[in-house]
Amino acid sequence: MRFVLLFLLLGLSSCDSVTEEETITGEYIFRKSDEQRYDLATLKPQNRPSYPWQEGSASSHKISKEYFRCKGSAMNPPHIVREGEKETARYNDCGGSDKHSLPLHNGNEFVYPILIDLLNRIQEVTGKPVIITSGHRCPDHNLYIDPSPANSGSKHQIGAEVDFYIKGLEGRPESAVKIIEDFYKSQARYQKQPEYQTFHRFERATNVSTQPWFNKEVFIKLFRANEGRNFDNRHPYPYISIQVRFDRASNLPVTCNWADAQKFLRR
Ligand SMILES: [Zn+2]
């Protein structure tokens, strides 16, 4: 009987402890609306600093090497070459610019700076955006666009060539050539250097009907609306291509072969 009483008492006491816990009550903390644990600096709205490609007039962002990235895509269908009914070759496009870098120069992504300078000058003078239709082409994309042997040494592969038109001036591609000529006359770094300031016309036959222009540093070709159509240039407009002939930084002519183009690429 004593044991039973003892257990009953124990049971009751444990019940008591539970009820105690359940009945614990809290107190509200009252705080005034201007009371803070930490002092906060007064926040002021501020403008985000602009990215390099946002500099320039509102109608055209400043051209940077980012605009030159390869336009290949794994979504493109294979380029099939046929002779009559027979398939003779098949080329797949590259994986696109998120699968490989721009050409590398001393370990950094690189496009010849003269191309960027000239395109920005055209935007400044015209107040209209330059549309790059073909900047860097990795070797796979270059082959996909045009597998002919003549194209295998395309300087697009090393960031030394660009195709573009001017939005709003699509029908007047010659205006770009005039701006480029004026650029060489106005820049201090070309003063008293006639090999840069004077442009000549290229006399030999090419794949365009308009005689190209060239000075020591660049070679300019004008493709009419019915010329030079390829996978990157599927638009209906004439376009200009600028090729770098001579690198002022290294004082060497700019040439390209397929093996070099393969080598200077990060995948
Ligand atoms: Zn590519």
Side-chain angles (χ1 to χ4, degrees):
M1 191 58 188
R2 275 182 196 164
F3 278 114
V4 172
L5 271 174
L6 188 64
F7 279 118
L8 263 174
L9 276 171
L10 276 172
L12 279 172
S13 66
S14 64
C15 278
D16 282 346
S17 68
V18 169
T19 17
E20 254 172 33
E21 274 171 26
E22 280 175 349
T23 54
I24 288 171
T25 53
E27 263 180 58
Y28 287 105
I29 300 171
F30 292 97
R31 200 184 276 159
K32 290 180 185 167
S33 63
D34 59 350
E35 271 181 359
Q36 288 164 342
R37 187 181 285 267
Y38 302 107
D39 280 341
L40 293 174
T42 317
L43 297 177
K44 282 185 224 143
Q46 50 185 322
N47 294 328
R48 174 174 56 72
S50 59
Y51 294 109
W53 58 88
Q54 291 178 311
E55 290 167 18
S57 66
S59 62
S60 44
H61 295 154
K62 196 168 179 184
I63 301 273
S64 66
K65 66 183 171 192
E66 294 302 319
Y67 285 69
F68 284 72
R69 291 201 182 272
C70 182
K71 299 202 188 312
S73 164
M75 302 294 281
N76 288 332
H79 178 163
I80 299 167
V81 182
R82 291 178 209 277
E83 269 172 32
E85 289 291 294
K86 192 166 157 273
E87 178 181 324
T88 54
R90 177 180 283 245
Y91 302 95
N92 289 315
D93 202 358
C94 73
S97 62
D98 47 353
K99 298 286 182 197
H100 64 75
S101 66
L102 284 170
L104 298 180
H105 187 74
N106 298 331
N108 296 317
E109 292 195 304
F110 176 82
V111 168
Y112 281 82
I114 183 63
L115 296 180
I116 297 171
D117 289 352
L118 291 174
L119 297 186
N120 278 316
R121 170 54 68 98
I122 292 167
Q123 288 198 149
E124 280 163 33
V125 174
T126 59
K128 302 200 183 301
V130 161
I131 308 296
I132 296 179
T133 55
S134 192
H136 173 228
R137 295 177 194 163
C138 68
D140 289 349
H141 187 57
N142 190 57
L143 196 65
Y144 177 78
I145 285 184
D146 178 1
S148 69
N151 188 50
S152 66
S154 160
K155 291 183 186 175
H156 280 283
Q157 298 170 103
I158 54 167
E161 187 165 349
V162 64
D163 301 343
F164 68 95
Y165 64 84
I166 308 167
K167 198 175 177 185
L169 293 175
E170 290 91 343
R172 291 172 46 203
E174 290 90 348
S175 55
V177 181
K178 174 82 174 60
I179 294 165
I180 295 170
E181 287 181 317
D182 289 346
F183 172 87
Y184 277 95
K185 290 194 183 96
S186 67
Q187 293 290 298
R189 65 184 189 231
Y190 302 116
Q191 288 306 303
K192 295 187 181 148
Q193 298 184 72
E195 68 273 33
Y196 289 98
Q197 293 192 320
T198 312
F199 273 80
H200 303 280
R201 301 300 290 270
F202 192 70
E203 305 281 341
R204 274 182 274 163
T206 60
N207 58 347
V208 286
S209 58
T210 313
Q211 277 188 337
W213 296 258
F214 68 97
N215 69 357
K216 184 174 179 176
E217 190 168 30
V218 292
F219 189 87
I220 306 166
K221 259 184 177 177
L222 194 170
F223 291 85
R224 301 284 169 191
N226 59 345
E227 294 171 335
R229 298 300 123 176
N230 56 38
F231 199 86
D232 276 2
N233 289 292
R234 285 173 294 175
H235 53 83
Y237 313 122
Y239 67 93
I240 298 278
S241 129
I242 312 177
Q243 242 181 64
V244 184
R245 300 182 63 216
F246 188 78
D247 179 25
R248 289 171 68 251
S250 65
N251 212 25
L252 288 170
V254 175
T255 56
C256 172
N257 63 57
W258 196 77
D260 279 353
Q262 287 281 357
K263 206 161 60 190
F264 298 120
L265 205 61
R266 192 182 294 130
R267 293 172 204 267

